[in-house]
Amino acid sequence: MKVLIISAHPEADSFNLFLASRAARVFEKQGSLVQTVNLYSENFEPCEGQNFYPDRQDPQRFDALLEQRHHWEMHNLPDDVVRHIELLKSADLLLLHFPFWWFGMPAILKGWMDRVFVYGGIYDSKHRHENGIMKGKRALLTVTAGAPANACGHNGRHGDMRFLLWPSIHALHYIGYSMLEPYLIHGVRGGLDGLAKEKQQQFLDQKVKDFESRLININDWPIIPFNKEEDFNEDKTLKPHSPEYSPFVRHNPGNWKADPI
Ligand SMILES: Cc1cc2nc3c(=O)[nH]c(=O)nc-3n(C[C@H](O)[C@H](O)[C@H](O)COP(=O)(O)O)c2cc1C
């Protein structure tokens, strides 16, 4: 198996990157070919913009989708984007490791998606969801959070973290990945002393062991179900008897429907 680990953490000594290194070790031991990228170490430029497109299809007005597709077709994408696309295409399993920052992924990782998931190359209207370019590949998010588990649960003060990650999970599924249930580690806090620090270390050591043993049996890892094309009407709304897998795509707007403007 070929494994690609993309991490987004600015500190080499972080728990987050430690977990990424342990994941690499697990798969290497199993004989997999592992490639690792830390977006911070390579100073990845996350801001999509016109500076990346030297030979514009529309020189007057910058249209990111248009220029992504044009430069893909002309084989004129930036070197870093080309390299990352090749890495993605060659890997069977993608692991994304990142800390939970402001209820989502760090900006560098979101920007990586903006620039690397190129329209026309990585997806288009015929290649999305279960027909996506990355069909047959699996992806796993491993995310650390400072807040304790209770605060990130379904009735927690910070909102249900599993749902807050849905946009990232959906984006990867959109380009074809089968998405594994994310691995979340809550209560990862710095600045502790004495007994609190010791307890924290024990908790983290336990988590590392748990994570490693789950990775060893990655084929048993639960996969997140998504609706398929056949579940939707022509107008892209859910058919009446289609299954409902998430509160983001549901039959009954219930109490959550926003007031129309
Ligand atoms: C900019 C920033 C935003 C953060 N936002 C959140 C957040 O929304 N929810 C949360 O639980 N923790 C938040 N944290 C805490 C980090 O998730 C936590 O420090 C990190 O996951 C710990 O892992 P590490 O030791 O590997 O960095 C934030 C930290 C930073 C620096």
Side-chain angles (χ1 to χ4, degrees):
M1 182 164 67
K2 288 186 181 164
V3 181
L4 173 63
I5 306 179
I6 304 269
S7 39
H9 199 295
E11 170 53 55
D13 194 28
S14 60
F15 177 65
N16 209 282
L17 291 186
F18 177 67
L19 268 184
S21 71
R22 297 304 277 245
R25 210 177 68 158
V26 165
F27 289 112
E28 273 161 1
K29 268 190 180 171
Q30 289 185 339
S32 293
L33 180 71
V34 180
Q35 298 211 263
T36 56
V37 172
N38 181 356
L39 298 176
Y40 276 96
S41 313
E42 68 175 56
N43 255 332
F44 185 82
E45 170 52 69
C47 294
E48 177 62 306
Q50 36 189 302
N51 47 315
F52 293 118
Y53 302 98
D55 185 15
R56 296 256 294 272
Q57 184 170 340
D58 183 350
Q60 309 305 325
R61 185 179 172 281
F62 177 63
D63 178 332
L65 289 182
L66 185 77
E67 299 305 343
Q68 284 187 353
R69 188 180 59 189
H70 179 60
H71 285 72
W72 165 269
E73 284 167 356
M74 307 296 289
H75 303 284
N76 203 6
L77 286 167
D79 290 347
D80 58 350
V81 170
V82 171
R83 186 169 68 84
H84 282 248
I85 289 174
E86 279 167 7
L87 284 171
L88 287 171
K89 284 191 159 178
S90 70
D92 309 297
L93 174 67
L94 170 67
L95 306 184
L96 292 183
H97 280 247
F98 60 91
F100 203 44
W101 278 7
W102 289 114
F103 309 103
M105 52 174 54
I108 198 169
L109 188 55
K110 173 58 170 57
W112 172 79
M113 284 185 169
D114 294 345
R115 289 192 53 223
V116 175
F117 295 1
V118 168
Y119 175 59
I122 296 299
Y123 72 97
D124 58 32
S125 59
K126 291 194 178 67
H127 300 96
R128 289 188 290 190
H129 308 288
E130 71 268 25
N131 301 314
I133 301 285
M134 302 301 172
K135 186 177 175 171
K137 301 177 188 293
R138 293 175 291 178
L140 169 69
L141 308 186
T142 298
V143 190
T144 57
N150 285 347
C152 301
H154 70 281
N155 57 355
R157 182 72 174 108
H158 300 313
D160 190 331
M161 184 170 165
R162 172 66 178 67
F163 288 160
L164 292 169
L165 285 169
W166 195 82
S168 319
I169 291 169
H170 183 54
L172 287 156
H173 179 256
Y174 188 90
I175 64 167
Y177 282 102
S178 292
M179 295 305 300
L180 305 184
E181 269 298 330
Y183 192 78
L184 313 179
I185 304 119
H186 302 99
V188 186
R189 295 172 51 205
L192 299 173
D193 290 317
L195 194 59
K197 190 174 178 185
E198 222 173 274
K199 270 183 140 180
Q200 162 98 342
Q201 196 52 52
Q202 281 170 6
F203 163 73
L204 295 181
D205 290 347
Q206 191 51 43
K207 279 288 171 192
V208 172
K209 277 197 193 132
D210 178 66
F211 183 57
E212 286 177 328
S213 67
R214 285 170 192 260
L215 287 183
I216 288 168
N217 300 303
I218 189 96
N219 290 335
D220 298 335
W221 204 296
I223 291 179
I224 301 173
F226 278 89
N227 287 108
K228 297 205 160 49
E229 195 61 33
E230 69 212 24
D231 293 338
F232 295 93
N233 299 302
E234 282 281 296
D235 70 354
K236 302 289 176 203
T237 57
L238 204 57
K239 287 180 184 168
H241 299 293
S242 294
E244 202 180 67
Y245 295 121
S246 104
F248 297 96
V249 183
R250 63 195 188 279
H251 290 289
N252 186 348
N255 296 331
W256 311 111
K257 190 175 182 184
D259 289 334
I261 299 169

